Amino acid sequence: MKEVTASAPGKLMLFGEHSVVYGFPSIVTAVDQRLRVRVSNTREAAFSVHAPDVGVDNYKKSISELGSEKIPKGVAFLEMLYKRFIEQSKIKTGIQVETSSDFSSEFGFGSSSAVTVAFAKALTEFHEVPVSNEELFRLCYQAVLDVQGVGSGFDLAAAIWGGTIYYVKPARIVELLSANELPVVVGYTGIKANTVPLVRMVEEKKNTDPTKINQIFEQVTTIVELAKTAILAADWQKVGILMSENQLLLQELGVSSTELNTLIDSAKAAGAFGAKLSGAGGGDCMIAVTDIEHRDAVEEHIEHAHGKVLNVQTSAQGVRVE
Ligand code: PMV
């Protein structure tokens, strides 16, 4: 039996969420929590998926019906990607897909984007179709837009290129800022964020009051540019201060939450250089920048404020064949 396995990392947004959707720059880091996808051949002209981590048990669909009817959430990105792949490559064979994850899809580490990228890589390797990172991005981005209609693709870029990157959609700029571990602590609120409604909410606000929202996005962009310079210079105090400034703007945008604010305040009270939410807001994770002297206190304060400290390494390697 022929088979190929590929893995891709999760991500954490460091700067520029929401404004990135409108073409402004952002900074994202890949995290060492990986998603693995194994692709193998099957005699049937069917697309089969086994993804126990997201509750998908031996899902099967004939190739001719891909994309039709209701698709379970855990399969949607894979199925739309396979549909796109068939359209473009004209390779119509059946395939068996199996996924496994180092992390819970609850954390907001981007399990959907990581699984899409790992699958695209495994699939193209399996069929010996050489693809550049840019081609891989285009294939995955189409599938993501097919499924959820919105998104900047920052999470796909992190999964493909890895490291800590400066990103402008749709992978128009991908610039590596650091391949080293960043001095951050990550706290999980225990609440699953719902990205698409939050993106839609910001869109509505932008339609209602474009001047105000554009002003916020421009201020965020100034912060992103300063953060880029600070990361390149490894000036972590500055990076932390900029995170706190970005957080204030996200609060103004209305996407933070009491739980996120509590964890952010507790990290800062424990001596972190600065902190902010990471991602769409409403829940998922916050991120704090700290020096080594304050690290334990920052972690303890986050736990004390009912957050869960997640042990992740940043600037992880991008997609790879295992
Ligand atoms: O909720 P997450 O971690 O997928 O982050 C969403 C970030 C947004 O900028 C709000 C949306 C996007 O696609 O960039």
Side-chain angles (χ1 to χ4, degrees), residues 8 21 67 71 91 95 114 181 192 209 213 232 273 277 286 303 311-312 322:
V21 175
I71 309 171
I91 299 171
I95 202 145
E181 177 65 15
K192 175 94 190 95
D209 193 349
I213 302 301
L232 287 169
F273 291 136
L277 66 82
M286 49 73 68
E303 295 271 350
N311 193 5
V312 294
E322 297 281 314

Side-chain angles (χ1 to χ4, degrees), residues 24-76:
F24 295 98
S26 63
I27 299 175
V28 54
T29 191
V31 296
D32 69 337
Q33 306 282 307
R34 303 185 78 85
L35 236 138
R36 266 162 272 278
V37 176
R38 190 172 64 135
V39 164
S40 55
N41 53 351
T42 156
R43 285 213 193 91
E44 293 172 279
F47 171 70
S48 312
V49 180
H50 187 54
D53 289 334
V54 288
V56 174
D57 201 19
N58 295 317
Y59 171 86
K60 199 181 276 187
K61 207 165 201 180
S62 80
I63 298 292
S64 57
E65 283 172 359
L66 288 178
S68 68
E69 292 169 25
K70 207 166 155 34
I71 309 171
K73 207 163 161 252
V75 182

Side-chain angles (χ1 to χ4, degrees), residues 112-180:
S112 308
S113 47
V115 81
T116 307
V117 167
F119 179 42
K121 184 73 177 176
L123 194 58
T124 48
E125 283 284 322
F126 182 86
H127 288 297
E128 293 164 27
V129 182
V131 280
S132 63
N133 280 352
E134 288 74 14
E135 286 165 331
L136 205 58
F137 179 89
R138 275 197 292 278
L139 180 63
C140 295
Y141 194 43
Q142 276 177 343
V144 167
L145 292 182
D146 285 341
V147 176
Q148 61 181 33
V150 294
S152 67
F154 80 102
D155 38 9
L156 298 171
I160 293 171
W161 278 272
T164 296
I165 54 176
Y166 176 89
Y167 174 82
V168 180
K169 86 164 196 184
R172 196 168 65 74
I173 304 177
V174 178
E175 204 179 315
L176 183 69
L177 302 183
S178 177
N180 300 324

Side-chain angles (χ1 to χ4, degrees), residues 242-262:
L242 291 166
M243 275 199 181
S244 296
E245 287 178 14
N246 194 161
Q247 172 62 19
L248 288 180
L249 293 166
L250 289 164
Q251 280 171 228
E252 220 180 305
L253 208 54
V255 296
S256 198
S257 68
T258 312
E259 292 81 3
L260 282 164
N261 295 346
T262 306

